[in-house]
Amino acid sequence: MTGGGPGDGGGAGTADSDGDASPSPPLAPPDPTALQFGFSSAGTEMAARTISTLLELNPDWAALKNDFSNAFNTVSRRRIVECLMESPFAHLESAVRCMYELPSALYWEGELFRRASETGCVQGCPLSPFLFALAFHPTLRQVARDFPDCVLVGFLDDVTVLGPPARAAAALARLQTLAFEQCSLASAPTKCAVYSPSGDLSAVPATICGAPGHRDLETGELTGRLGGMVFVGAPLGDDDWVRAHISAHFTELARPFATLARLEDHGRLQTAAQARMLLLRFCATPQINFWLRCVRPDLIREAATDYDAAVAECLRSMLHAPSAS
């Protein structure tokens, strides 16, 4: 399912508008329709590649990442129904009203809250990503129309605004205002951040991490310009920063291998061998494969080689085979 306009292609996309004042970025859609996707396994990859390509082609641009506080639990249900009725999916009205008109149970870390939820998507509802995107989509389109020289890349509630630094900062502020007014989505300014390969960030407010004058909330020290950031799960930034980020995360992901290799049968449960293989197969590689598709090969090759060696050593230990060393 997708929550975009005609011609949606799946995965992730950008929110843009038609404007003749500046050339359209190569990956911007050719029409003024804002695109927002988040329903396929390729969505985060497309969003990450869009952001990285735009910054490669426009190194003086800035990428400002927005953070909504508890977005899925706070989005306006009235807004969801209103946007549903104005969309091609109005025939779902009865089903959505059945699920959303009455307060619903709200859980946090497995514990049931005493007070029922009267806002946001219903927890566990398979339609919640679609309904959230449907409610938020008009807001993205409006900001895109107001700022034709910027590009908004959205993956559900994860939004990155790209463009000339001053304009991108203004577009982010507009997005935060409209999202609260129209969708009841509150942004967390202290969790927003900015990165630019070589752009002048002096016009970016100091409340945003990575902007000149931004200070750490705990230490009060200047944070300085960021060497990179993680966008929809993919690291993007200076080469050294990306290498260091990838290496640190690969090391952390490989840490449980030693414990996994020691998993043994217990009592009547004689399934340790199967459990070890399933955990290694399905838990050791998904995030790694995602990074391999999103990060430049020369930046990830060394860390990936070390990680492959750790996986191979874990497998040898599980099979009681001699170590390669």
Side-chain angles (χ1 to χ4, degrees):
M1 295 181 295
T2 63
D8 296 343
T14 61
D16 198 5
S17 61
D18 54 346
D20 299 326
S22 60
S24 297
L27 292 185
D31 57 69
T33 301
L35 305 178
Q36 183 203 63
F37 303 90
F39 313 105
S40 88
S41 58
T44 50
E45 295 173 38
M46 294 177 66
R49 293 301 297 271
T50 298
I51 295 169
S52 63
T53 301
L54 287 173
L55 288 180
E56 288 174 8
L57 296 174
N58 304 277
D60 57 335
W61 276 20
L64 290 98
K65 185 168 64 172
N66 183 69
D67 184 272
F68 288 117
S69 300
N70 203 17
F72 274 73
N73 283 330
T74 57
V75 63
S76 168
R77 291 187 179 182
R78 179 183 295 274
R79 173 75 167 183
I80 288 175
V81 175
E82 289 174 351
C83 292
L84 179 72
M85 297 307 297
E86 295 175 358
S87 76
F89 309 100
H91 60 281
L92 297 175
E93 177 191 6
S94 298
V96 171
R97 288 190 181 275
C98 178
M99 293 185 290
Y100 282 83
E101 279 194 336
L102 297 177
S104 55
L106 184 63
Y107 293 86
W108 174 256
E109 295 184 350
E111 297 293 329
L112 176 64
F113 273 23
R114 293 183 179 180
R115 184 175 179 179
S117 174
E118 299 180 359
T119 63
C121 298
V122 175
Q123 289 183 333
C125 173
L127 288 178
S128 59
F130 161 71
L131 295 176
F132 179 91
L134 198 64
F136 188 44
H137 188 53
T139 302
L140 282 180
R141 294 187 64 184
Q142 184 171 342
V143 177
R145 289 193 298 267
D146 293 344
F147 293 86
D149 52 344
C150 294
V151 178
L152 281 74
V153 179
F155 184 84
L156 297 177
D157 62 325
D158 195 332
V159 180
T160 301
V161 182
L162 300 103
R167 291 287 290 168
L172 177 64
R174 179 65 170 160
L175 172 69
Q176 293 172 340
T177 299
L178 288 181
F180 184 75
E181 293 176 350
Q182 298 176 355
C183 306
S184 300
L185 295 173
S187 294
T190 58
K191 294 184 178 180
C192 297
V194 60
Y195 166 73
S196 176
S198 59
D200 179 7
L201 302 180
S202 58
V204 179
T207 55
I208 298 177
C209 183
H214 177 77
R215 293 183 179 274
D216 185 272
L217 290 178
E218 296 182 358
T219 65
E221 298 179 355
L222 291 171
T223 57
R225 194 183 185 100
L226 297 180
M229 289 197 303
V230 176
F231 297 93
V232 289
L236 173 64
D238 302 338
D239 289 357
D240 291 341
W241 184 91
V242 173
R243 286 194 184 96
H245 179 86
I246 288 290
S247 178
H249 276 267
F250 273 33
T251 300
E252 189 64 26
L253 288 172
R255 197 179 305 278
F257 286 169
T259 304
L260 175 62
R262 295 195 300 268
L263 184 64
E264 299 292 344
D265 293 325
H266 180 74
R268 298 178 61 185
L269 296 176
Q270 302 295 308
T271 57
Q274 295 93 322
R276 288 195 300 262
M277 292 300 297
L278 288 173
L279 287 171
L280 184 63
R281 178 181 179 185
F282 293 108
C283 299
T285 59
Q287 189 172 17
I288 303 302
N289 289 336
F290 169 72
W291 283 337
L292 287 171
R293 292 191 294 267
C294 293
V295 178
R296 241 175 45 219
D298 61 300
L299 300 181
I300 199 173
R301 185 176 293 111
E302 182 177 352
T305 301
D306 293 341
Y307 188 81
D308 284 347
V311 172
E313 184 60 32
C314 178
L315 183 60
R316 278 191 289 268
S317 297
M318 290 163 49
L319 299 177
H320 304 291
S323 175
S325 58

